[in-house]
Amino acid sequence: MDEVEVVVAHSERATLRVGDVFLKVDADQARIDAEVEAMALAPVPTPKVLWRRPPVLAIAALPGTTLGRLGGPSTGSPAAWAAAGAAIRTLHQAPLPPRPGRAGRSTAALAAELDAECELLVADGLLPADLVTRNRRVAEAALRPWTAAFTHGDLQIAHVFVDGDDQVTGIIDWSEAGQGDALYDLATFTLGHEEHFDDVIAGYGTDVDLDVIHAWWSLRSLLAVRWLAEHGFDPFAPGCEVDVLRSLM
């Protein structure tokens, strides 16, 4: 009998692996609805949906391996990173999905959330004021008008699978997908792995504003630190969110 592997688990959702099947348990059915819808619309490889019985979604495992994870060593050749960039561009050029995603929050809402989160980070003593203040200034560049694209919304490198040097075999975890800012996806994908940024952009096929990428690195990290700490993750681990914030000082 296959063992049950806990891939990720916290108070909002959990993902288990049993053999070649992933079981996603989510009390928020809207997230599952968004995920299934996005996978059906996305013009890139996605996992096969095996069955769905709320609150559980069963999907098939993907071939290949990921390019790494935040805080860990990255793998893959420059060609593999470029292939990932090309797949991301294919997604961003696709017809828009019907709903906004996490990358599509309004600049006003983001600014208000960011201000409140920065205040709490300092008040709670999680981060020093100068680190928060500097990164809040960097994050300002992300709060600008953008053209809507089909975005993944949580495009961590652990969510992109590659096989060999030039084939993306699939992208997982689409619950935050929808209309949004394409540079949010690119920033999420390269967060903590700036050394591969040029390879990703070579595959993506068009220049991007590096100041906006830096801004999204700061903004995403500032918004994540307290949530991660409260849900059993460690944003202070080497190479993770707090190190990203320090690198932008």
Side-chain angles (χ1 to χ4, degrees):
M1 179 176 179
D2 291 315
E3 292 184 352
V4 176
E5 174 191 355
V6 179
V7 178
V8 63
H10 50 76
S11 60
E12 295 180 4
R13 68 188 88 165
T15 300
L16 311 175
R17 179 169 187 168
V18 186
D20 290 332
V21 177
F22 284 90
L23 303 175
K24 304 190 71 172
V25 184
D26 197 326
D28 185 347
Q29 287 305 294
R31 277 196 294 253
I32 295 294
D33 291 342
E35 178 156 14
V36 172
E37 177 183 74
M39 288 194 293
L41 295 173
V44 295
T46 61
K48 179 182 179 181
V49 175
L50 300 176
W51 50 264
R52 181 183 177 190
R53 295 172 192 151
V56 181
L57 173 67
I59 59 176
L62 290 170
T65 59
T66 68
L67 291 171
R69 61 179 177 81
L70 183 61
S74 59
T75 60
S77 67
W81 286 86
I88 296 168
R89 182 68 184 278
T90 297
L91 175 66
H92 289 168
Q93 292 181 315
L96 293 177
R99 67 182 85 195
R102 184 161 184 79
R105 290 167 291 173
S106 73
T107 55
L110 272 172
E113 182 182 358
L114 185 59
D115 287 341
E117 195 63 30
C118 287
E119 184 177 340
L120 286 170
L121 287 170
V122 175
D124 293 347
L126 275 175
L127 295 177
D130 61 337
L131 182 65
V132 172
T133 300
R134 166 59 181 160
N135 276 277
R136 174 63 181 84
R137 292 195 190 111
V138 172
E140 191 70 30
L143 305 176
R144 88 282 176 225
W146 41 267
T147 300
F150 191 151
T151 54
H152 179 278
D154 190 21
L155 200 61
Q156 304 171 44
I157 59 172
H159 292 163
V160 178
F161 286 72
V162 296
D163 187 7
D165 286 340
D166 58 4
Q167 182 181 4
V168 172
T169 58
I171 301 175
I172 64 172
D173 285 0
W174 291 83
S175 61
E176 308 287 357
Q179 299 178 26
D181 180 2
L183 296 195
Y184 180 91
D185 271 356
L186 287 170
T188 302
F189 188 67
T190 54
L191 183 74
H193 291 286
E194 187 173 2
E195 71 275 13
H196 296 293
F197 184 80
D198 288 344
D199 296 325
V200 173
I201 297 306
Y204 193 72
T206 186
D207 291 334
V208 301
D209 189 331
L210 191 55
D211 286 340
V212 176
I213 296 294
H214 287 164
W216 277 123
W217 287 347
S218 285
L219 197 154
R220 181 180 170 94
S221 296
L222 286 169
L223 293 183
V225 167
R226 198 165 57 89
W227 186 94
L228 291 168
E230 291 175 352
H231 287 79
F233 303 99
D234 185 7
F236 293 88
C240 291
E241 284 78 7
V242 175
D243 272 359
V244 171
L245 294 172
R246 289 171 179 150
S247 74
L248 293 164
M249 286 289 282

